[in-house]
Amino acid sequence: MNVGKSGYRVFSANSTAACTELGRKITEDVNTAIMELLVMAYALKTSCAKNIIGVIPYFPYSKQCKMRKRGSIVCKLLASMLAKAGLTHIITMDLHQKEIQGFFSFPVDNLRASPFLLQYIQEEASAMQCSGQAKTVVLPPPSSLLPECCSYSGGVPDYRNAIIVAKSPSAAKRAQSYAERLRLGLAVMHGEAQCSESDMADGRHSPPSVRNTTGHPGLELPWMMAKEKPPITVVGDVGGRIAIIVDDIVDDVEDFVAAAEILKERGAYKIYIMATHGLLSGDAPRLIEESAIDEVVVTNTVPHEVQKLQCPKIKTVDVSMILAEAIRRIHNGESMAYLFRNITVDD
């Protein structure tokens, strides 16, 4: 492809029909998908492409964005690799931490899926009829204009009796944003499940905690006590309510299953999970099907058709509309501010 003279803008995406195979590899072998993206970007760079814009709805390794003890920050490494390969712009959605944008030396548009999920919660119909035929729904943000012939469906009946739940204090800001926009109450879960004696025999407490006496004999450092979380508690009244747990990623669902059981014990009669990225790895579909969770709603930033066949509780909201609009605006040189209207710092 001779792009040296024409100066094309190249959009490299993993969510279009032409890149279905790459999207499938993201869930199976993320490292292969990353390597293919780097090779593709570098090939375009050496072909003198003017701009190389990566459309990466789910940014891999986004959870590894902080240094734990003396470990590596893999997300920062990946950002450097993408820049070195030649990418000049990235369009992504709901980064695990907004501060990840600071890892990049080029612009990053971190789009939000919350308008689509909020629209799903607010719609009470169970089916969509458009021109007399049932079709797949593309749910728009609440502020968008809908065609008069279309009636869009959702899946949380009587949502006014719902309460937004954060399954950990770290997710409280996201849950608060949902609660304020829906004018609903907020509950926060804190603590962790207590382990039995058989679970404690896995070596996590060995060797015994003995103060390290190496170093200068006259140097006495203060001893840092280990943290110990209390049993799981719920701050807020969920009795007789619909509990909607919101998060950004649903991968290993053990925490969500445990949270659903606690909420059921506290009186919640329905449990919904709303998340942007549905990785649903391992036995997640089976665990969801056997749990007290009534429905798991995720977007299509990551392909999960196989998981939906294994568990009918998994529902999908299409967010391709906002990604397509971002591509169109960048290609035409229009402002991206419209896509971030009413987005606050805490969102």
Side-chain angles (χ1 to χ4, degrees):
M1 181 175 60
N2 183 14
V3 297
K5 297 181 180 179
S6 54
Y8 291 156
R9 289 185 176 91
V10 181
F11 293 84
S12 174
N14 62 9
S15 61
T16 61
C19 297
T20 303
E21 182 68 17
L22 182 58
R24 180 183 63 82
K25 288 181 179 179
I26 289 178
T27 57
E28 295 180 358
D29 187 359
V30 63
N31 297 322
T32 300
I34 291 172
M35 197 63 204
E36 289 183 0
L37 177 61
L38 294 173
V39 172
M40 186 188 305
Y42 187 70
L44 296 170
K45 177 183 178 181
T46 54
S47 298
C48 302
K50 181 179 179 181
N51 290 316
I52 305 172
I53 303 167
V55 183
I56 311 175
Y58 169 66
F59 194 79
Y61 290 104
S62 59
K63 278 192 172 182
Q64 301 184 28
C65 58
K66 296 180 180 180
M67 179 177 291
R68 292 177 173 84
K69 295 184 179 179
R70 300 299 296 274
S72 61
I73 307 177
V74 183
C75 193
K76 168 62 177 175
L77 173 63
L78 181 56
S80 302
M81 292 169 64
L82 292 173
K84 192 67 175 178
L87 265 72
T88 59
H89 196 150
I90 280 182
I91 302 173
T92 186
M93 181 166 285
D94 279 343
L95 291 170
H96 185 60
Q97 297 288 341
K98 296 185 293 295
E99 293 77 10
I100 292 176
Q101 297 176 79
F103 292 165
F104 295 87
S105 57
F106 50 81
V108 176
D109 287 317
N110 182 26
L111 303 177
R112 304 296 196 275
S114 54
F116 296 88
L117 297 175
L118 289 169
Q119 179 75 8
Y120 184 94
I121 294 173
Q122 291 174 313
E123 293 293 338
E124 297 181 3
S126 59
M128 189 278 283
Q129 295 294 330
C130 185
S131 301
Q133 295 182 356
K135 297 183 179 180
T136 302
V137 184
V138 179
L139 295 173
S143 58
S144 298
L145 297 177
L146 306 180
E148 295 181 356
C149 61
C150 296
S151 175
Y152 291 94
S153 66
V156 184
D158 192 23
Y159 83 94
R160 290 294 181 186
N161 190 35
I163 184 170
I164 305 299
V165 180
K167 72 178 183 66
S168 64
S170 60
K173 282 189 176 182
R174 183 185 303 271
Q176 181 181 0
S177 175
Y178 276 72
E180 291 176 351
R181 282 175 164 77
L182 294 171
R183 277 67 173 174
L184 299 177
L186 175 66
V188 180
M189 304 187 70
H190 175 59
E192 63 180 358
Q194 298 300 298
C195 301
S196 62
E197 293 183 359
S198 59
D199 296 333
M200 301 299 288
D202 59 356
R204 71 182 70 180
H205 293 297
S206 61
S209 56
V210 179
R211 182 176 300 189
N212 187 9
T213 58
T214 61
H216 195 279
L219 183 61
E220 186 70 18
L221 296 177
W223 182 249
M224 177 65 72
M225 296 182 62
K227 291 183 179 180
E228 183 175 351
K229 290 186 178 181
I232 295 180
T233 57
V234 181
V235 182
D237 183 16
V238 298
R241 301 285 191 89
I242 301 173
I244 303 177
I245 305 175
V246 297
D247 212 334
D248 60 331
I249 300 174
V250 178
D251 189 3
D252 298 325
V253 299
E254 286 83 358
D255 292 342
F256 291 96
V257 171
E261 293 176 355
I262 296 296
L263 293 173
K264 279 287 187 180
E265 294 175 359
R266 299 299 174 90
Y269 67 92
K270 277 191 177 181
I271 311 293
Y272 287 82
I273 295 177
M274 300 281 173
T276 303
H277 310 294
L279 302 184
L280 303 170
S281 59
D283 293 334
R286 179 182 61 82
L287 294 175
I288 293 173
E289 185 66 24
E290 297 174 355
S291 69
I293 300 171
D294 292 279
E295 194 169 287
V296 177
V297 183
V298 294
T299 69
N300 57 345
T301 55
V302 177
H304 49 265
E305 285 76 12
V306 176
Q307 290 87 339
K308 288 180 66 176
L309 294 175
Q310 298 173 354
C311 178
K313 293 182 179 181
I314 300 174
K315 308 297 181 182
T316 306
V317 174
D318 189 2
V319 293
S320 59
M321 176 192 300
I322 192 171
L323 294 170
E325 179 64 14
I327 294 174
R328 188 194 68 81
R329 286 178 173 272
I330 292 176
H331 180 70
N332 295 330
E334 300 177 16
S335 173
M336 295 286 289
Y338 176 79
L339 302 180
F340 296 95
R341 64 196 185 282
N342 298 327
I343 299 295
T344 62
V345 177
D346 295 333
D347 288 336

PDB file of all heavy atoms in Angstrom, residues 7 9 17 33 39 68 88-89 97 105 151 156 175 181 219 225-228 231 272 293 313 317 325 343:
ATOM      1  N   GLY A   7      -1.024  10.192   2.130  1.00  0.00           N
ATOM      2  CA  GLY A   7      -1.154  10.548   3.538  1.00  0.00           C
ATOM      3  C   GLY A   7      -2.425  10.033   4.170  1.00  0.00           C
ATOM      4  O   GLY A   7      -3.186  10.776   4.773  1.00  0.00           O
ATOM      5  N   ARG A   9      -5.014   8.190   6.750  1.00  0.00           N
ATOM      6  CA  ARG A   9      -5.124   7.866   8.166  1.00  0.00           C
ATOM      7  C   ARG A   9      -5.562   6.411   8.262  1.00  0.00           C
ATOM      8  O   ARG A   9      -6.584   6.034   7.700  1.00  0.00           O
ATOM      9  CB  ARG A   9      -6.157   8.759   8.870  1.00  0.00           C
ATOM     10  CG  ARG A   9      -5.733  10.204   9.037  1.00  0.00           C
ATOM     11  CD  ARG A   9      -6.780  10.957   9.841  1.00  0.00           C
ATOM     12  NE  ARG A   9      -6.372  12.317  10.091  1.00  0.00           N
ATOM     13  CZ  ARG A   9      -6.664  13.347   9.298  1.00  0.00           C
ATOM     14  NH1 ARG A   9      -7.352  13.141   8.195  1.00  0.00           N
ATOM     15  NH2 ARG A   9      -6.262  14.563   9.599  1.00  0.00           N
ATOM     16  N   ALA A  17     -15.962  -6.394  11.730  1.00  0.00           N
ATOM     17  CA  ALA A  17     -16.172  -7.720  11.141  1.00  0.00           C
ATOM     18  C   ALA A  17     -14.910  -8.214  10.440  1.00  0.00           C
ATOM     19  O   ALA A  17     -14.626  -9.419  10.422  1.00  0.00           O
ATOM     20  CB  ALA A  17     -17.337  -7.660  10.163  1.00  0.00           C
ATOM     21  N   ALA A  33      -2.336 -11.401  20.096  1.00  0.00           N
ATOM     22  CA  ALA A  33      -3.063 -10.262  19.552  1.00  0.00           C
ATOM     23  C   ALA A  33      -2.240  -8.983  19.661  1.00  0.00           C
ATOM     24  O   ALA A  33      -2.215  -8.167  18.733  1.00  0.00           O
ATOM     25  CB  ALA A  33      -4.398 -10.105  20.277  1.00  0.00           C
ATOM     26  N   VAL A  39       3.126  -5.519  15.019  1.00  0.00           N
ATOM     27  CA  VAL A  39       3.692  -5.770  13.684  1.00  0.00           C
ATOM     28  C   VAL A  39       2.921  -4.982  12.634  1.00  0.00           C
ATOM     29  O   VAL A  39       3.505  -4.383  11.719  1.00  0.00           O
ATOM     30  CB  VAL A  39       3.673  -7.280  13.387  1.00  0.00           C
ATOM     31  CG1 VAL A  39       4.058  -7.544  11.937  1.00  0.00           C
ATOM     32  CG2 VAL A  39       4.622  -8.021  14.314  1.00  0.00           C
ATOM     33  N   ARG A  68       3.198  -3.070  42.441  1.00  0.00           N
ATOM     34  CA  ARG A  68       2.943  -3.823  43.664  1.00  0.00           C
ATOM     35  C   ARG A  68       4.271  -4.365  44.171  1.00  0.00           C
ATOM     36  O   ARG A  68       4.923  -5.146  43.478  1.00  0.00           O
ATOM     37  CB  ARG A  68       1.948  -4.947  43.398  1.00  0.00           C
ATOM     38  CG  ARG A  68       0.544  -4.444  43.081  1.00  0.00           C
ATOM     39  CD  ARG A  68      -0.395  -5.598  42.763  1.00  0.00           C
ATOM     40  NE  ARG A  68      -1.776  -5.143  42.610  1.00  0.00           N
ATOM     41  CZ  ARG A  68      -2.271  -4.643  41.486  1.00  0.00           C
ATOM     42  NH1 ARG A  68      -1.501  -4.544  40.418  1.00  0.00           N
ATOM     43  NH2 ARG A  68      -3.536  -4.252  41.425  1.00  0.00           N
ATOM     44  N   THR A  88      -0.053   6.637  16.613  1.00  0.00           N
ATOM     45  CA  THR A  88      -0.090   8.069  16.904  1.00  0.00           C
ATOM     46  C   THR A  88      -1.332   8.483  17.684  1.00  0.00           C
ATOM     47  O   THR A  88      -1.447   9.628  18.095  1.00  0.00           O
ATOM     48  CB  THR A  88      -0.051   8.874  15.598  1.00  0.00           C
ATOM     49  OG1 THR A  88      -1.173   8.504  14.773  1.00  0.00           O
ATOM     50  CG2 THR A  88       1.245   8.584  14.835  1.00  0.00           C
ATOM     51  N   HIS A  89      -2.276   7.558  17.865  1.00  0.00           N
ATOM     52  CA  HIS A  89      -3.529   7.894  18.550  1.00  0.00           C
ATOM     53  C   HIS A  89      -4.196   6.579  18.928  1.00  0.00           C
ATOM     54  O   HIS A  89      -4.086   5.590  18.195  1.00  0.00           O
ATOM     55  CB  HIS A  89      -4.441   8.698  17.607  1.00  0.00           C
ATOM     56  CG  HIS A  89      -5.558   9.417  18.297  1.00  0.00           C
ATOM     57  ND1 HIS A  89      -6.098  10.599  17.829  1.00  0.00           N
ATOM     58  CD2 HIS A  89      -6.258   9.132  19.427  1.00  0.00           C
ATOM     59  CE1 HIS A  89      -7.064  10.996  18.625  1.00  0.00           C
ATOM     60  NE2 HIS A  89      -7.180  10.116  19.600  1.00  0.00           N
ATOM     61  N   GLN A  97      -8.065   2.349  35.072  1.00  0.00           N
ATOM     62  CA  GLN A  97      -7.755   3.570  35.809  1.00  0.00           C
ATOM     63  C   GLN A  97      -7.537   4.687  34.786  1.00  0.00           C
ATOM     64  O   GLN A  97      -6.800   4.502  33.815  1.00  0.00           O
ATOM     65  CB  GLN A  97      -6.497   3.410  36.670  1.00  0.00           C
ATOM     66  CG  GLN A  97      -6.613   2.366  37.763  1.00  0.00           C
ATOM     67  CD  GLN A  97      -7.511   2.816  38.894  1.00  0.00           C
ATOM     68  OE1 GLN A  97      -7.783   4.004  39.051  1.00  0.00           O
ATOM     69  NE2 GLN A  97      -7.985   1.864  39.697  1.00  0.00           N
ATOM     70  N   SER A 105       2.568   8.741  25.167  1.00  0.00           N
ATOM     71  CA  SER A 105       3.172   9.981  24.654  1.00  0.00           C
ATOM     72  C   SER A 105       2.368  10.550  23.495  1.00  0.00           C
ATOM     73  O   SER A 105       2.841  11.473  22.824  1.00  0.00           O
ATOM     74  CB  SER A 105       4.612   9.713  24.196  1.00  0.00           C
ATOM     75  OG  SER A 105       4.652   8.685  23.213  1.00  0.00           O
ATOM     76  N   SER A 151     -38.710   1.242  18.990  1.00  0.00           N
ATOM     77  CA  SER A 151     -38.955   1.185  20.425  1.00  0.00           C
ATOM     78  C   SER A 151     -37.897   0.287  21.034  1.00  0.00           C
ATOM     79  O   SER A 151     -37.906  -0.923  20.823  1.00  0.00           O
ATOM     80  CB  SER A 151     -40.346   0.629  20.715  1.00  0.00           C
ATOM     81  OG  SER A 151     -40.518   0.465  22.098  1.00  0.00           O
ATOM     82  N   VAL A 156     -34.229  -4.184  33.060  1.00  0.00           N
ATOM     83  CA  VAL A 156     -34.362  -4.043  34.512  1.00  0.00           C
ATOM     84  C   VAL A 156     -35.731  -3.450  34.816  1.00  0.00           C
ATOM     85  O   VAL A 156     -35.877  -2.234  34.938  1.00  0.00           O
ATOM     86  CB  VAL A 156     -33.244  -3.160  35.104  1.00  0.00           C
ATOM     87  CG1 VAL A 156     -33.348  -3.119  36.630  1.00  0.00           C
ATOM     88  CG2 VAL A 156     -31.881  -3.642  34.677  1.00  0.00           C
ATOM     89  N   ALA A 175     -19.832   3.510  41.103  1.00  0.00           N
ATOM     90  CA  ALA A 175     -21.196   3.249  41.548  1.00  0.00           C
ATOM     91  C   ALA A 175     -21.920   4.541  41.909  1.00  0.00           C
ATOM     92  O   ALA A 175     -23.115   4.689  41.631  1.00  0.00           O
ATOM     93  CB  ALA A 175     -21.172   2.295  42.741  1.00  0.00           C
ATOM     94  N   ARG A 181     -26.898   9.566  38.559  1.00  0.00           N
ATOM     95  CA  ARG A 181     -27.580   9.760  37.274  1.00  0.00           C
ATOM     96  C   ARG A 181     -28.949   9.082  37.251  1.00  0.00           C
ATOM     97  O   ARG A 181     -29.862   9.550  36.568  1.00  0.00           O
ATOM     98  CB  ARG A 181     -26.705   9.240  36.140  1.00  0.00           C
ATOM     99  CG  ARG A 181     -25.584  10.209  35.776  1.00  0.00           C
ATOM    100  CD  ARG A 181     -24.649   9.622  34.732  1.00  0.00           C
ATOM    101  NE  ARG A 181     -23.822  10.654  34.131  1.00  0.00           N
ATOM    102  CZ  ARG A 181     -22.769  11.210  34.685  1.00  0.00           C
ATOM    103  NH1 ARG A 181     -22.381  10.780  35.884  1.00  0.00           N
ATOM    104  NH2 ARG A 181     -22.076  12.162  34.099  1.00  0.00           N
ATOM    105  N   LEU A 219      20.348   0.363  63.620  1.00  0.00           N
ATOM    106  CA  LEU A 219      19.203   0.922  62.907  1.00  0.00           C
ATOM    107  C   LEU A 219      17.942   0.156  63.265  1.00  0.00           C
ATOM    108  O   LEU A 219      17.834  -1.037  63.011  1.00  0.00           O
ATOM    109  CB  LEU A 219      19.450   0.841  61.387  1.00  0.00           C
ATOM    110  CG  LEU A 219      18.366   1.465  60.496  1.00  0.00           C
ATOM    111  CD1 LEU A 219      18.228   2.958  60.786  1.00  0.00           C
ATOM    112  CD2 LEU A 219      18.702   1.226  59.041  1.00  0.00           C
ATOM    113  N   MET A 225       2.540  -3.396  60.423  1.00  0.00           N
ATOM    114  CA  MET A 225       1.593  -4.470  60.698  1.00  0.00           C
ATOM    115  C   MET A 225       0.850  -4.848  59.412  1.00  0.00           C
ATOM    116  O   MET A 225       0.535  -3.998  58.575  1.00  0.00           O
ATOM    117  CB  MET A 225       0.584  -4.032  61.758  1.00  0.00           C
ATOM    118  CG  MET A 225       1.201  -3.757  63.112  1.00  0.00           C
ATOM    119  SD  MET A 225      -0.042  -3.292  64.318  1.00  0.00           S
ATOM    120  CE  MET A 225      -1.038  -4.783  64.349  1.00  0.00           C
ATOM    121  N   ALA A 226       0.599  -6.133  59.256  1.00  0.00           N
ATOM    122  CA  ALA A 226      -0.117  -6.617  58.081  1.00  0.00           C
ATOM    123  C   ALA A 226      -1.592  -6.232  58.158  1.00  0.00           C
ATOM    124  O   ALA A 226      -2.181  -6.162  59.236  1.00  0.00           O
ATOM    125  CB  ALA A 226       0.023  -8.132  57.970  1.00  0.00           C
ATOM    126  N   LYS A 227      -2.178  -5.983  56.988  1.00  0.00           N
ATOM    127  CA  LYS A 227      -3.603  -5.661  56.936  1.00  0.00           C
ATOM    128  C   LYS A 227      -4.434  -6.920  57.125  1.00  0.00           C
ATOM    129  O   LYS A 227      -4.050  -8.013  56.717  1.00  0.00           O
ATOM    130  CB  LYS A 227      -3.950  -5.027  55.593  1.00  0.00           C
ATOM    131  CG  LYS A 227      -3.387  -3.640  55.381  1.00  0.00           C
ATOM    132  CD  LYS A 227      -3.847  -3.084  54.054  1.00  0.00           C
ATOM    133  CE  LYS A 227      -3.316  -1.663  53.828  1.00  0.00           C
ATOM    134  NZ  LYS A 227      -3.777  -1.141  52.514  1.00  0.00           N
ATOM    135  N   GLU A 228      -5.583  -6.749  57.730  1.00  0.00           N
ATOM    136  CA  GLU A 228      -6.520  -7.861  57.895  1.00  0.00           C
ATOM    137  C   GLU A 228      -7.927  -7.327  57.675  1.00  0.00           C
ATOM    138  O   GLU A 228      -8.433  -6.518  58.460  1.00  0.00           O
ATOM    139  CB  GLU A 228      -6.409  -8.486  59.284  1.00  0.00           C
ATOM    140  CG  GLU A 228      -7.323  -9.692  59.475  1.00  0.00           C
ATOM    141  CD  GLU A 228      -7.122 -10.360  60.802  1.00  0.00           C
ATOM    142  OE1 GLU A 228      -6.159  -9.995  61.515  1.00  0.00           O
ATOM    143  OE2 GLU A 228      -7.931 -11.245  61.144  1.00  0.00           O
ATOM    144  N   PRO A 231     -14.872  -9.488  57.897  1.00  0.00           N
ATOM    145  CA  PRO A 231     -15.824 -10.224  57.058  1.00  0.00           C
ATOM    146  C   PRO A 231     -16.630  -9.271  56.181  1.00  0.00           C
ATOM    147  O   PRO A 231     -16.733  -8.076  56.455  1.00  0.00           O
ATOM    148  CB  PRO A 231     -16.715 -10.941  58.072  1.00  0.00           C
ATOM    149  CG  PRO A 231     -15.921 -10.982  59.325  1.00  0.00           C
ATOM    150  CD  PRO A 231     -15.056  -9.765  59.329  1.00  0.00           C
ATOM    151  N   TYR A 272     -28.378  -7.870  39.565  1.00  0.00           N
ATOM    152  CA  TYR A 272     -27.894  -7.576  38.221  1.00  0.00           C
ATOM    153  C   TYR A 272     -26.423  -7.147  38.318  1.00  0.00           C
ATOM    154  O   TYR A 272     -26.022  -6.504  39.294  1.00  0.00           O
ATOM    155  CB  TYR A 272     -28.696  -6.454  37.570  1.00  0.00           C
ATOM    156  CG  TYR A 272     -30.092  -6.848  37.146  1.00  0.00           C
ATOM    157  CD1 TYR A 272     -31.143  -6.860  38.055  1.00  0.00           C
ATOM    158  CD2 TYR A 272     -30.369  -7.195  35.829  1.00  0.00           C
ATOM    159  CE1 TYR A 272     -32.420  -7.218  37.682  1.00  0.00           C
ATOM    160  CE2 TYR A 272     -31.644  -7.547  35.435  1.00  0.00           C
ATOM    161  CZ  TYR A 272     -32.665  -7.558  36.359  1.00  0.00           C
ATOM    162  OH  TYR A 272     -33.937  -7.914  35.978  1.00  0.00           O
ATOM    163  N   ILE A 293     -27.080 -14.788  40.788  1.00  0.00           N
ATOM    164  CA  ILE A 293     -27.120 -13.653  39.865  1.00  0.00           C
ATOM    165  C   ILE A 293     -28.226 -13.875  38.845  1.00  0.00           C
ATOM    166  O   ILE A 293     -28.331 -14.942  38.244  1.00  0.00           O
ATOM    167  CB  ILE A 293     -25.761 -13.482  39.163  1.00  0.00           C
ATOM    168  CG1 ILE A 293     -24.654 -13.225  40.186  1.00  0.00           C
ATOM    169  CG2 ILE A 293     -25.816 -12.355  38.144  1.00  0.00           C
ATOM    170  CD1 ILE A 293     -23.257 -13.257  39.599  1.00  0.00           C
ATOM    171  N   LYS A 313     -27.939 -16.110  30.979  1.00  0.00           N
ATOM    172  CA  LYS A 313     -28.031 -14.921  31.834  1.00  0.00           C
ATOM    173  C   LYS A 313     -27.162 -13.770  31.328  1.00  0.00           C
ATOM    174  O   LYS A 313     -27.312 -12.634  31.790  1.00  0.00           O
ATOM    175  CB  LYS A 313     -27.610 -15.263  33.263  1.00  0.00           C
ATOM    176  CG  LYS A 313     -28.542 -16.216  33.995  1.00  0.00           C
ATOM    177  CD  LYS A 313     -28.052 -16.448  35.412  1.00  0.00           C
ATOM    178  CE  LYS A 313     -28.973 -17.379  36.183  1.00  0.00           C
ATOM    179  NZ  LYS A 313     -28.503 -17.596  37.579  1.00  0.00           N
ATOM    180  N   VAL A 317     -24.788  -5.410  25.287  1.00  0.00           N
ATOM    181  CA  VAL A 317     -25.175  -4.083  24.816  1.00  0.00           C
ATOM    182  C   VAL A 317     -24.144  -3.642  23.775  1.00  0.00           C
ATOM    183  O   VAL A 317     -22.940  -3.689  24.033  1.00  0.00           O
ATOM    184  CB  VAL A 317     -25.233  -3.072  25.982  1.00  0.00           C
ATOM    185  CG1 VAL A 317     -25.483  -1.671  25.461  1.00  0.00           C
ATOM    186  CG2 VAL A 317     -26.316  -3.463  26.973  1.00  0.00           C
ATOM    187  N   GLU A 325     -18.559   6.715  15.664  1.00  0.00           N
ATOM    188  CA  GLU A 325     -18.620   8.173  15.674  1.00  0.00           C
ATOM    189  C   GLU A 325     -17.257   8.781  15.992  1.00  0.00           C
ATOM    190  O   GLU A 325     -16.878   9.811  15.424  1.00  0.00           O
ATOM    191  CB  GLU A 325     -19.661   8.633  16.691  1.00  0.00           C
ATOM    192  CG  GLU A 325     -19.808  10.143  16.819  1.00  0.00           C
ATOM    193  CD  GLU A 325     -20.319  10.816  15.552  1.00  0.00           C
ATOM    194  OE1 GLU A 325     -20.819  10.102  14.660  1.00  0.00           O
ATOM    195  OE2 GLU A 325     -20.198  12.048  15.456  1.00  0.00           O
ATOM    196  N   ILE A 343     -19.484  14.365  31.080  1.00  0.00           N
ATOM    197  CA  ILE A 343     -18.552  13.435  31.733  1.00  0.00           C
ATOM    198  C   ILE A 343     -17.747  14.214  32.765  1.00  0.00           C
ATOM    199  O   ILE A 343     -17.070  15.185  32.429  1.00  0.00           O
ATOM    200  CB  ILE A 343     -17.598  12.779  30.716  1.00  0.00           C
ATOM    201  CG1 ILE A 343     -18.405  11.980  29.684  1.00  0.00           C
ATOM    202  CG2 ILE A 343     -16.605  11.888  31.420  1.00  0.00           C
ATOM    203  CD1 ILE A 343     -19.149  10.802  30.249  1.00  0.00           C
TER     204      ILE A 343
END
